[in-house]
Structures are given as structure tokens and as C-alpha cells.
Amino acid sequence: MSVWKVSGGKKLYGDLRIQGSKNAVLPIMAAAIVTGCETELINCPRLSDVEAAMSILRHLGCKAEREGDTVNIDSRGMNRTDIPHDLMREMRSSVIFLGAILARAHEAKLSYPGGCELGPRPIDLHLEALRSLGAEISEQGGSLYCRDNGLKGSRINLSFPSVGATENAMLAACGAKGETVITNAAKEPEIVDLQEFLRKLGVSVSGAGTSTITICGFVPQKRVGHRIMTDRIASATALCCAASAGGSITLKSVAPSDFETVTSALESMGCEVERKASSVKISVSRPLRAPRPIVTRPYPGFPTDAQPLLMAACLRAEGTTVFTENIFENRYRHAVELCRLGADISVVGRVAVVTGVNELIGAPVSATDLRGGAALVAAALGANGDTTIYDAGHIARGYEEFDKMLMSLGADVSYESEQHLATVV
Ligand code: UD1
């Protein structure tokens, strides 16, 4: 089992360069097969999900190689249209390849992605969108069989602005004849990054970042290059770690507007924030006060992914913070673990109420999921004494060298991955 150890009580100081975005790179890697071409993706984080996406690309017959933070993909030789169960299972969001494979090859076979630690993860909106474009989809023995006799542009109205369904619809629409208009589309910055990449691929696409996206065919390109946007949730994580531990850190080369809801919540708690065009400095002298109620919503609302992290920053804030989680139904599992450190949190359905305590005390805890695990790290940085976080492999799915990043700021942390522990034992 992978384990994090945190000796709390050290303030964080220094500058940080934030990794490329996990949630932007994955759909962009899928998009690289929509047309057969060579793609150079710069600023790709070293994460297991990115490695899993590379394995899927190789299985499909593409070349996918990493050189430093660059991933080179050559999709001209793609010769398969299926993704086997073991590859689907490795990465929950592999369903994003469905639209891309259909756009390119007009048939696809994928195993059904299951639920996850955040609760059920349905894909009905993805399938509905692809059916609107003319895909025939059937489900047999846990596999999805999809084919089309030529996708046709159409109007897709999403009943909820799902990020994944918007991305899948955009990718499939690239291979459709005529114009596709997606309404009630997700407006997340990662969708805008996907549009930027698709434009470089030669796709005629506009509207990303608003609720209406229009796509109308492509002119194939031989070679494209793209720099993946900075990870706004990793940025929010660093800010919340500083808010919990105290100190002063500066995030460099970030897009402050992408995570403004998190920054302004921290500001309302009494953190001092200095925003520049591409950097954010946070200075924290505790005690902090509880922020106004936090309600997670689709972008530009407060991101569900940052909810556990801000919760960690609120545990010792004076007063009561009320969280309402509107996106995922099972996203408070970290609350039980945070209580082991002495936090006072009560959860009823979608609402969690945090009452500030004077002190957190290090304890053994378990990471429940990626962001919940990072929240435990953030809370442990502000706790007195030592915290051991078990099941820490979840955290590595979303953060590149998180331990080294925190150490560079003066934190006393260590991380031993499962592989390393295995060799030690
Ligand atoms: C993406 C992000 C994830 C983030 C989430 C919400 C990636 C790889 N992951 O996930 O980190 O937490 O956006 O910002 O980018 N839903 C349905 N039917 C569907 C699709 C979704 O009911 O077909 C529901 C989900 O169960 C959930 C909500 O819609 O309750 C939001 O999901 P969605 O926006 O699709 O999130 P993901 O794309 O899975």
C-alpha cells in the first residue's frame, strides 16, 4: 500500500510551478485520433491516467511516446476500434475515447465503465449525444457496441452540462457531416483547451467556454503541437495547503481566473491574495474565519474537485462553514477521515457543516479518493504531530510529485509508493 507521512506545523514558503492539467490532457489525447496525424503535446503531467491513455492509444495501433513533459502521438496507423476491459478499468474517463474512435472509424467496442469512489458514474448523456449524431449503440455482456453509417451533424441538448458528455459529443461531431450544435454544454476551461487543440487539428469549432458549441467538419493537418493548460485543481490544492499550513506561496504561470472561486473563498477567510496576469500569491496568517457557504456547481461555479481541499483549509477557521455538494452524490468520504484528525464535521445528504476547532492532531487516516486524499495531506500540514495517510495511491493519480512540491516549500512530508515499498519489504 502507498503511504504518505506528514509532520504538521511547518509553514509553507516559496514559488511553485503547477503541472499541466490532468482533465485537459486526457480528452486531448483522445482527440489526437480523430484525424490521422502526428501530435506533439507539451506540458503533459506524469500521471498514471496519462500513462493509461498512452496504453489505449498504443492498443489502437497509434504510436505514443513520452520525452520529458512532452507526449508525441502518431495516430496515422490506427488499426483497431476496441478498448479491452483492463485498459478501460485503469482509467475511469477512458469513455472519452468513444466519441473519438467513432469519429475516426465509425465503429467502436468498449467495456462499460463502472461506478467509482464518488458514486455511480453514469454515461447516459454521452450515449444520448452520440445517438443524436446517428450512432447505434447496444450493450451486451458489459460491453458497448457502437457503429454508425456516417455520423450526421445535429442539435444536441444536454440535460446537464456534463464535462465528459460535452467532450465526447465534440469529438464525435468532428467526424459528422454537417453542423453540430451542442447546447447546455459544459463551460469548463478544459473544454476551451480541447477546442484550441481541435482547431489546430483543422476542426471548425467555436463557442467553447459558453453553453453553445458549434462544430462543422475538419481540414486534415499533418502535424500539430499544443501546450496543455495549467491544472486549475492542482493550483487550488496548493493554495488550500498554504491556507491550512500558513506561510506565503506564489503560483507561477497559472491562469488565476480558472480557479477564482477558490481564491476568493480563501480571501474571504482572511488569506491575503495578490493576483497578477499569470501568478497568484497567497499569504496566510492564522487564525482564519469561516467563508460564506460553499456550493459546488458546474463552471464557473465552485468546482466539486476543490470541495474537499477547501474543507481541509476550513477545519480550524473560526465559525461554521456550510458545504453543499451538487455534482457528485458521494463526495464527503474524506469528512470521516478529517474527523480522525480532530475536525468537527457533520454530514447530512448533500450538506456538510464544518465547525472550526482550535487544533488538529496527527493520526493515521486513509485516502478515500484522489481529491479527498489530497485534502488529508492539506489538513495534516496544519495539524500538530504526525499523520500517516494509507491508500495514498489515489493521490498519485492526479498530482505529479506532490511530495517533492510540498518539500520544496518547506513541508516535512514523505511518500512511499507501493512499488517502492514492495522492494523495501
Ligand atoms: C469531470 C472531471 C472530474 C470533475 C467533473 C465535474 C475529468 C477526467 N474529470 O468528470 O474531475 O469532478 O468533471 O467537474 O475531466 N452524469 C450523468 N450522466 C452522464 C454524465 C454525467 O448523470 O452521462 C452526472 C455525473 O454522475 C455527475 C455529474 O453528471 O453527477 C457531473 O459529471 P460530469 O460533468 O460528466 O463529470 P466527468 O466528466 O465524469
Side-chain angles (χ1 to χ4, degrees):
M1 194 193 296
S2 303
V3 173
W4 265 81
K5 291 198 168 151
V6 180
S7 288
K10 305 264 184 318
K11 291 186 177 170
L12 306 183
Y13 293 97
D15 294 351
L16 273 187
R17 179 202 152 266
I18 301 292
Q19 69 189 51
S21 164
K22 170 178 98 69
N23 289 354
V25 72
L26 299 175
I28 287 175
M29 289 175 81
I33 63 170
V34 163
T35 71
C37 76
E38 289 177 276
T39 297
E40 184 187 45
L41 298 179
I42 303 163
N43 203 28
C44 292
R46 280 183 184 276
L47 301 171
S48 53
D49 278 8
V50 175
E51 300 308 312
M54 288 172 70
S55 301
I56 291 174
L57 288 167
R58 291 192 198 108
H59 172 84
L60 294 172
C62 307
K63 289 184 189 152
E65 301 299 335
R66 179 184 278 277
E67 270 178 52
D69 76 348
T70 298
V71 170
N72 292 301
I73 301 167
D74 182 349
S75 67
R76 290 172 301 176
M78 176 174 151
N79 55 13
R80 295 187 69 119
T81 57
D82 67 306
I83 305 181
H85 181 65
D86 54 336
L87 289 178
M88 283 298 288
R89 209 186 38 187
E90 262 183 62
M91 183 179 65
R92 200 75 57 186
S93 50
S94 46
V95 70
I96 207 66
F97 276 87
L98 182 54
I101 297 175
L102 272 186
R104 175 80 179 271
H106 303 284
E107 63 169 29
K109 181 188 163 220
L110 270 66
S111 73
Y112 211 92
C116 75
E117 56 274 3
L118 305 181
R121 210 92 182 235
I123 56 165
D124 53 318
L125 302 176
H126 299 237
L127 302 186
E128 214 175 289
L130 301 182
R131 286 190 174 113
S132 306
L133 296 170
E136 287 168 20
I137 305 173
S138 62
E139 201 189 328
Q140 286 163 34
S143 288
L144 287 167
Y145 293 84
C146 313
R147 87 176 30 250
D148 67 78
N149 294 315
L151 294 168
K152 287 195 186 63
S154 82
R155 207 174 172 83
I156 300 173
N157 182 38
L158 296 172
S159 57
F160 178 85
S162 152
V163 175
T166 301
E167 291 164 347
N168 237 334
M170 287 170 78
L171 297 184
C174 295
K177 270 215 174 97
E179 184 180 88
T180 296
V181 179
I182 307 169
T183 53
N184 199 25
K187 296 187 266 196
E188 268 68 0
E190 293 78 12
I191 306 274
V192 178
D193 207 25
L194 178 60
Q195 168 171 284
E196 292 302 305
F197 176 69
L198 288 174
R199 283 183 173 163
K200 290 173 184 167
L201 270 189
V203 177
S204 165
V205 47
S206 60
T210 75
S211 54
T212 304
I213 299 174
T214 306
I215 295 161
C216 188
F218 62 86
V219 179
Q221 310 291 310
K222 284 201 173 93
R223 206 179 150 72
V224 299
H226 184 71
R227 183 179 178 84
I228 303 296
M229 64 177 274
T230 304
D231 197 310
R232 65 191 168 102
I233 304 300
S235 302
T237 302
L239 294 181
C240 291
C241 285
S244 172
S248 177
I249 67 167
T250 304
L251 314 186
K252 302 273 191 188
S253 307
V254 291
S257 59
D258 286 353
F259 50 94
E260 175 54 31
T261 46
V262 181
T263 316
S264 61
L266 291 167
E267 204 169 27
S268 76
M269 293 170 69
C271 300
E272 226 174 88
V273 176
E274 209 179 302
R275 300 165 181 81
K276 292 205 172 137
S278 62
S279 73
V280 174
K281 179 177 181 189
I282 186 170
S283 304
V284 186
S285 35
R286 299 195 73 104
L288 298 176
R289 55 183 176 272
R292 62 189 184 282
I294 303 295
V295 181
T296 67
R297 298 189 202 282
Y299 192 85
F302 191 92
T304 174
D305 286 353
Q307 172 262 106
L309 297 151
L310 190 72
M311 188 179 283
C314 290
L315 301 177
R316 286 179 297 132
E318 282 170 4
T320 302
T321 314
V322 180
F323 287 85
T324 305
E325 172 57 58
N326 282 319
I327 308 294
F328 290 106
E329 53 186 77
N330 189 16
R331 201 158 201 179
Y332 285 132
R333 296 203 311 159
H334 49 278
V336 175
E337 301 300 315
L338 291 170
C339 288
R340 293 187 207 282
L341 301 176
D344 179 348
I345 308 170
S346 56
V347 175
V348 180
R350 292 188 173 273
V351 176
V353 178
V354 178
T355 305
V357 294
N358 288 333
E359 185 187 38
L360 297 172
I361 296 176
V365 291
S366 289
T368 51
D369 58 85
L370 163 56
R371 307 301 172 187
L376 292 175
V377 174
L381 291 169
N384 288 331
D386 297 341
T387 297
T388 306
I389 305 170
Y390 296 99
D391 284 330
H394 288 296
I395 302 171
R397 275 192 41 236
Y399 298 95
E400 185 180 73
E401 302 195 324
F402 192 22
D403 52 337
K404 296 207 174 84
M405 176 189 104
L406 291 172
M407 280 189 251
S408 77
L409 300 175
D412 185 351
V413 301
S414 68
Y415 172 59
E416 288 197 66
S417 70
E418 196 158 359
Q419 293 91 324
H420 183 238
L421 284 179
T423 54
V424 172
V425 172

